[in-house]
């Protein structure tokens, strides 16, 4: 039979394709992860992440103003802590004059409308490179939660709009909500890394912060006792639902492109915005392939970001945020 319905009628030219397009991207869909270091007028490119830098606070503030002008409205910030400040308690994480707290104040002073979501986890502050306090050779859940509450409250005191716990400790969202509320920060939100998988895609990020677990026979060699097994799907939905019940305002799936089935499952299950982290390894692969001429950088970048949005992301944390915003603004 001759087809009455011809899908190609809606693909004839770009004007038609644009009016029937189901998913669109804008700079406000992006959150830019930023790495901050001590010093002044300092920046160094991360070798495994071309175009991404560790910057001192002054240059970070300059970059924040630039990306805000492009339409990006959120930053996820991480700090490179001096080795001398690391221990097993993570106490530098809640130092009111620490690098993270000083960075938050500086960003909010320079660009008050930028949404600042500092990372909440102990790995940048740990001599062991783990997300929590090591007790009897393993990461101890409940004492870590107590430390994370102190850390989150210090971020709120510095001016953070959301705190972003990436540690994957059990029950930490409830403890953070209780701690923030008790300190008078009812308005500060929680964006929880709810389905954070134990992934090999994080390698360049750990290079950026020097936060990989140390090689020791006395402690876990990786983070698989608290980050999720990448073979699991139902567990991700359970984790996201529990975090919402405990008070999370947003939930996150991490990594991104390799986990779009999880993004859709979580999006269907929860009634809060879903953030997706397009992680360092995913970024590095595109950069490396594009440098060799194997892929078209901009087309692949935009296709991946669109696919993450299509899968259900309300917000995409991506190292491509600035580059993508420039293209979209054109």
């Amino acid at each position: 039979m001759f087809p009455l319905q011809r899908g190609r009628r809606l693909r004839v030219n770009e004007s038609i394709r644009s009016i029937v397009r189901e998913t669109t991207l804008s700079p406000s869909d992006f959150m830019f992860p930023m790495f901050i270091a001590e010093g002044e007028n300092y920046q160094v490119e991360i070798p495994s992440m071309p175009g991404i830098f560790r910057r001192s606070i002054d240059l970070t503030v300059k970059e924040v103003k630039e990306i805000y002008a492009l339409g990006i409205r959120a930053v996820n910030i991480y700090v490179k802590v001096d080795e001398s400040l690391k221990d097993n308690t993570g106490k530098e994480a809640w130092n009111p004059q620490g690098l993270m707290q000083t960075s938050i104040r500086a960003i909010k002073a320079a660009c008050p409308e930028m949404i600042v979501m500092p990372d909440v986890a102990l790995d940048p502050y740990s001599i062991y490179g783990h997300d929590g306090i090591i007790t009897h050779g393993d990461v101890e859940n409940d004492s870590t939660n107590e430390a994370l509450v102190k850390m989150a409250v210090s971020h709120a005191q510095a001016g953070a709009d959301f705190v972003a716990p990436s540690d994957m400790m059990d029950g930490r969202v409830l403890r953070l909500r209780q701690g923030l509320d008790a300190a008078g920060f009812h308005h500060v939100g929680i964006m929880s890394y709810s389905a954070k998988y134990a992934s090999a895609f994080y390698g360049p990020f750990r290079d950026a912060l020097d936060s990989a677990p140390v090689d020791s026979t006395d402690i876990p060699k990786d983070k698989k006792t608290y980050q999720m097994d990448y073979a699991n799907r139902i567990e991700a939905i359970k984790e996201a639902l529990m975090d919402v019940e405990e008070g999370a305002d947003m939930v996150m799936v991490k990594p991104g492109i390799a986990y779009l089935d999880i993004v859709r499952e979580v999006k269907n299950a929860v009634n809060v915005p879903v953030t997706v982290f397009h992680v360092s390894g995913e970024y590095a692969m595109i950069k490396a392939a594009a440098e060799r001429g194997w892929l078209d950088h901009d087309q692949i970048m935009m296709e991946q970001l669109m696919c993450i949005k299509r899968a259900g992301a309300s917000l995409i944390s991506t190292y491509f945020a600035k580059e993508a915003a420039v293209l979209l603004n054109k």
Side-chain angles (χ1 to χ4, degrees):
M1 290 182 63
F2 203 76
L4 296 178
Q5 289 292 333
R6 291 180 180 265
R8 290 183 59 186
R9 293 189 191 114
L10 301 180
R11 305 174 198 145
V12 169
N13 55 48
E14 177 56 24
S15 293
I16 293 175
R17 291 191 294 272
S18 69
I19 64 174
V20 299
R21 189 161 290 141
E22 299 171 30
T23 308
T24 59
L25 281 173
S26 74
S28 62
D29 291 323
F30 305 138
M31 176 162 60
F32 193 30
M34 306 185 79
F35 301 113
I36 305 174
E38 296 282 3
E40 187 174 349
N41 195 33
Y42 168 84
Q43 73 173 21
V44 59
E45 189 173 36
I46 298 159
S48 54
M49 301 175 70
I52 300 299
F53 297 83
R54 286 194 296 265
R55 292 185 172 94
S56 53
I57 293 176
D58 55 329
L59 297 185
T60 298
V61 166
K62 180 181 177 182
E63 182 79 348
V64 167
K65 290 179 178 178
E66 290 179 11
I67 64 174
Y68 187 83
L70 291 170
I72 296 167
R73 294 293 179 260
V75 292
N76 194 196
I77 59 175
Y78 304 85
V79 293
K80 173 71 168 65
V81 178
D82 189 271
E83 290 296 320
S84 65
L85 298 174
K86 296 182 180 182
D87 62 12
N88 186 36
T89 70
K91 63 180 181 297
E92 178 62 20
W94 54 89
N95 176 2
Q97 303 307 318
L99 181 57
M100 177 67 87
Q101 292 77 3
T102 305
S103 300
I104 296 168
R105 287 193 292 268
I107 292 170
K108 293 301 290 185
C111 192
E113 298 303 312
M114 180 64 83
I115 302 301
V116 178
M117 301 192 188
D119 180 59
V120 176
L122 295 185
D123 49 330
Y125 304 89
S126 169
I127 55 174
Y128 299 113
H130 275 286
D131 289 36
I133 297 168
I134 299 294
T135 305
H136 304 304
D138 198 7
V139 177
E140 208 287 313
N141 193 92
D142 295 357
S143 62
T144 296
N145 281 344
E146 293 175 10
L148 296 176
V149 170
K150 293 184 226 178
M151 185 179 185
V153 169
S154 76
H155 293 174
Q157 290 169 336
D161 300 282
F162 285 77
V163 294
S166 63
D167 56 285
M168 289 297 288
M169 297 298 110
D170 292 334
R172 92 276 206 206
V173 172
L174 178 59
R175 291 289 175 261
L176 290 177
R177 186 70 271 157
Q178 291 171 332
L180 289 167
D181 289 354
F185 294 107
H186 305 85
H187 61 286
V188 173
I190 298 174
M191 183 195 69
S192 175
Y193 289 57
S194 298
K196 181 179 180 181
Y197 285 85
S199 171
F201 283 107
Y202 305 151
F205 174 93
R206 291 172 181 167
D207 291 343
L209 291 184
D210 190 24
S211 62
V214 299
D215 187 9
S216 171
T217 58
D218 300 327
I219 62 171
K221 64 179 180 179
D222 52 41
K223 302 188 177 185
K224 293 180 180 179
T225 65
Y226 46 100
Q227 294 180 357
M228 284 181 50
D229 184 343
Y230 60 70
N232 292 355
R233 175 182 61 86
I234 295 172
E235 183 183 10
I237 303 168
K238 181 183 75 173
E239 290 280 356
L241 289 171
M242 286 194 301
D243 283 358
V244 173
E245 290 174 2
E246 292 179 15
D249 302 282
M250 302 183 191
V251 296
M252 176 183 275
V253 175
K254 181 181 180 183
I257 283 296
Y259 294 79
L260 295 186
D261 60 321
I262 307 301
V263 175
R264 174 44 58 185
E265 294 267 14
V266 170
K267 179 69 172 180
N268 290 343
V270 301
N271 58 1
V272 299
V274 176
T275 304
V276 177
F277 207 137
H278 193 215
V279 298
S280 60
E282 295 169 318
Y283 174 89
M285 289 193 300
I286 293 177
K287 290 293 184 181
E291 285 176 3
R292 288 160 178 77
W294 295 342
L295 294 173
D296 183 299
H297 176 278
D298 290 352
Q299 289 193 34
I300 291 293
M301 171 181 71
M302 298 308 291
E303 182 177 342
Q304 288 204 356
L305 293 171
M306 184 70 79
C307 291
I308 293 171
K309 178 80 178 291
R310 188 196 65 218
S314 300
L315 182 66
I316 305 169
S317 185
T318 175
Y319 300 97
F320 286 117
K322 187 176 182 180
E323 292 175 276
V326 169
L327 278 181
L328 289 168
N329 286 330
K330 288 181 180 179

